[in-house]
PDB file of all heavy atoms in Angstrom:
ATOM      1  N   VAL A 194     -11.147 -19.034  10.535  1.00 98.00           N
ATOM      2  CA  VAL A 194      -9.859 -18.518  10.147  1.00 98.00           C
ATOM      3  C   VAL A 194      -8.885 -19.645  10.349  1.00 98.00           C
ATOM      4  O   VAL A 194      -8.831 -20.189  11.457  1.00 98.00           O
ATOM      5  CB  VAL A 194      -9.440 -17.302  10.960  1.00 98.00           C
ATOM      6  CG1 VAL A 194      -7.983 -16.922  10.619  1.00 98.00           C
ATOM      7  CG2 VAL A 194     -10.366 -16.135  10.769  1.00 98.00           C
ATOM      8  N   GLY A 199      -3.802 -18.220   8.365  1.00 97.00           N
ATOM      9  CA  GLY A 199      -4.539 -16.983   8.641  1.00 97.00           C
ATOM     10  C   GLY A 199      -5.650 -16.697   7.602  1.00 97.00           C
ATOM     11  O   GLY A 199      -6.234 -15.611   7.620  1.00 97.00           O
ATOM     12  N   LEU A 201      -9.089 -16.448   6.031  1.00 98.00           N
ATOM     13  CA  LEU A 201     -10.493 -16.315   6.491  1.00 98.00           C
ATOM     14  C   LEU A 201     -11.406 -16.862   5.416  1.00 98.00           C
ATOM     15  O   LEU A 201     -11.326 -16.476   4.245  1.00 98.00           O
ATOM     16  CB  LEU A 201     -10.790 -14.806   6.734  1.00 98.00           C
ATOM     17  CG  LEU A 201     -12.252 -14.395   6.841  1.00 98.00           C
ATOM     18  CD1 LEU A 201     -12.897 -15.035   8.098  1.00 98.00           C
ATOM     19  CD2 LEU A 201     -12.346 -12.868   6.978  1.00 98.00           C
ATOM     20  N   ASN A 228     -11.728 -11.170  16.465  1.00 98.00           N
ATOM     21  CA  ASN A 228     -10.778 -10.814  15.393  1.00 98.00           C
ATOM     22  C   ASN A 228     -11.583 -10.390  14.150  1.00 98.00           C
ATOM     23  O   ASN A 228     -11.308  -9.343  13.581  1.00 98.00           O
ATOM     24  CB  ASN A 228      -9.875 -12.045  15.118  1.00 98.00           C
ATOM     25  CG  ASN A 228      -8.928 -11.864  13.939  1.00 98.00           C
ATOM     26  OD1 ASN A 228      -8.596 -10.737  13.583  1.00 98.00           O
ATOM     27  ND2 ASN A 228      -8.541 -12.920  13.314  1.00 98.00           N
ATOM     28  N   ILE A 229     -12.546 -11.187  13.773  1.00 98.00           N
ATOM     29  CA  ILE A 229     -13.333 -10.975  12.590  1.00 98.00           C
ATOM     30  C   ILE A 229     -14.681 -10.377  12.944  1.00 98.00           C
ATOM     31  O   ILE A 229     -15.219 -10.696  13.999  1.00 98.00           O
ATOM     32  CB  ILE A 229     -13.522 -12.311  11.843  1.00 98.00           C
ATOM     33  CG1 ILE A 229     -12.198 -13.017  11.569  1.00 98.00           C
ATOM     34  CG2 ILE A 229     -14.377 -12.162  10.587  1.00 98.00           C
ATOM     35  CD1 ILE A 229     -11.267 -12.192  10.658  1.00 98.00           C
ATOM     36  N   ARG A 333      -7.973  -3.402  12.826  1.00 98.00           N
ATOM     37  CA  ARG A 333      -7.380  -4.682  12.368  1.00 98.00           C
ATOM     38  C   ARG A 333      -6.908  -4.619  10.921  1.00 98.00           C
ATOM     39  O   ARG A 333      -5.776  -4.976  10.611  1.00 98.00           O
ATOM     40  CB  ARG A 333      -8.424  -5.811  12.533  1.00 98.00           C
ATOM     41  CG  ARG A 333      -7.984  -7.152  11.936  1.00 98.00           C
ATOM     42  CD  ARG A 333      -9.228  -7.987  11.642  1.00 98.00           C
ATOM     43  NE  ARG A 333     -10.057  -7.366  10.621  1.00 98.00           N
ATOM     44  CZ  ARG A 333     -11.387  -7.279  10.633  1.00 98.00           C
ATOM     45  NH1 ARG A 333     -12.072  -7.816  11.620  1.00 98.00           N
ATOM     46  NH2 ARG A 333     -12.027  -6.673   9.689  1.00 98.00           N
ATOM     47  N   THR A 337      -2.891  -4.391  10.160  1.00 98.00           N
ATOM     48  CA  THR A 337      -2.376  -5.605   9.498  1.00 98.00           C
ATOM     49  C   THR A 337      -1.775  -5.224   8.115  1.00 98.00           C
ATOM     50  O   THR A 337      -0.730  -5.762   7.715  1.00 98.00           O
ATOM     51  CB  THR A 337      -3.485  -6.654   9.310  1.00 98.00           C
ATOM     52  OG1 THR A 337      -4.089  -6.876  10.587  1.00 98.00           O
ATOM     53  CG2 THR A 337      -2.949  -7.993   8.811  1.00 98.00           C
ATOM     54  N   LYS A 365      -7.604  -8.000   2.213  1.00 97.00           N
ATOM     55  CA  LYS A 365      -7.986  -7.835   3.633  1.00 97.00           C
ATOM     56  C   LYS A 365      -9.364  -8.470   3.963  1.00 97.00           C
ATOM     57  O   LYS A 365      -9.673  -8.742   5.136  1.00 97.00           O
ATOM     58  CB  LYS A 365      -7.973  -6.380   4.046  1.00 97.00           C
ATOM     59  CG  LYS A 365      -9.007  -5.455   3.507  1.00 97.00           C
ATOM     60  CD  LYS A 365      -8.887  -4.101   4.092  1.00 97.00           C
ATOM     61  CE  LYS A 365      -9.662  -2.986   3.484  1.00 97.00           C
ATOM     62  NZ  LYS A 365     -10.896  -3.207   2.867  1.00 97.00           N
ATOM     63  N   LYS A 367     -10.064 -11.392   3.217  1.00 98.00           N
ATOM     64  CA  LYS A 367      -9.807 -12.845   3.329  1.00 98.00           C
ATOM     65  C   LYS A 367      -8.857 -13.180   4.454  1.00 98.00           C
ATOM     66  O   LYS A 367      -8.231 -14.228   4.464  1.00 98.00           O
ATOM     67  CB  LYS A 367      -9.177 -13.350   2.014  1.00 98.00           C
ATOM     68  CG  LYS A 367     -10.029 -13.125   0.801  1.00 98.00           C
ATOM     69  CD  LYS A 367     -11.023 -14.273   0.665  1.00 98.00           C
ATOM     70  CE  LYS A 367     -12.065 -14.010  -0.384  1.00 98.00           C
ATOM     71  NZ  LYS A 367     -13.376 -14.548  -0.015  1.00 98.00           N
ATOM     72  N   ARG A 368      -8.724 -12.225   5.376  1.00 98.00           N
ATOM     73  CA  ARG A 368      -7.821 -12.557   6.524  1.00 98.00           C
ATOM     74  C   ARG A 368      -8.274 -11.674   7.724  1.00 98.00           C
ATOM     75  O   ARG A 368      -9.101 -10.765   7.600  1.00 98.00           O
ATOM     76  CB  ARG A 368      -6.395 -12.167   6.192  1.00 98.00           C
ATOM     77  CG  ARG A 368      -6.183 -10.638   6.017  1.00 98.00           C
ATOM     78  CD  ARG A 368      -4.786 -10.296   5.574  1.00 98.00           C
ATOM     79  NE  ARG A 368      -4.593  -8.824   5.565  1.00 98.00           N
ATOM     80  CZ  ARG A 368      -3.683  -8.224   4.871  1.00 98.00           C
ATOM     81  NH1 ARG A 368      -2.781  -8.917   4.162  1.00 98.00           N
ATOM     82  NH2 ARG A 368      -3.550  -6.893   4.921  1.00 98.00           N
ATOM     83  N   GLY A 369      -7.694 -12.011   8.882  1.00 98.00           N
ATOM     84  CA  GLY A 369      -7.936 -11.191  10.073  1.00 98.00           C
ATOM     85  C   GLY A 369      -6.626 -10.467  10.419  1.00 98.00           C
ATOM     86  O   GLY A 369      -6.000  -9.855   9.538  1.00 98.00           O
ATOM     87  N   ALA A 370      -6.267 -10.570  11.698  1.00 98.00           N
ATOM     88  CA  ALA A 370      -5.087  -9.788  12.168  1.00 98.00           C
ATOM     89  C   ALA A 370      -3.831 -10.627  12.116  1.00 98.00           C
ATOM     90  O   ALA A 370      -2.826 -10.172  12.640  1.00 98.00           O
ATOM     91  CB  ALA A 370      -5.344  -9.285  13.598  1.00 98.00           C
ATOM     92  N   GLN A 371      -3.851 -11.782  11.494  1.00 98.00           N
ATOM     93  CA  GLN A 371      -2.661 -12.640  11.469  1.00 98.00           C
ATOM     94  C   GLN A 371      -1.949 -12.598  10.143  1.00 98.00           C
ATOM     95  O   GLN A 371      -2.611 -12.648   9.100  1.00 98.00           O
ATOM     96  CB  GLN A 371      -3.078 -14.059  11.777  1.00 98.00           C
ATOM     97  CG  GLN A 371      -1.952 -15.063  11.672  1.00 98.00           C
ATOM     98  CD  GLN A 371      -2.425 -16.524  11.968  1.00 98.00           C
ATOM     99  OE1 GLN A 371      -3.305 -16.748  12.776  1.00 98.00           O
ATOM    100  NE2 GLN A 371      -1.828 -17.468  11.278  1.00 98.00           N
TER     101      GLN A 371
END
Side-chain angles (χ1 to χ4, degrees):
V194 173
L201 163 64
N228 175 25
I229 304 300
R333 172 203 63 223
T337 309
K365 70 175 168 31
K367 299 276 170 215
R368 68 183 185 201
Q371 174 182 326

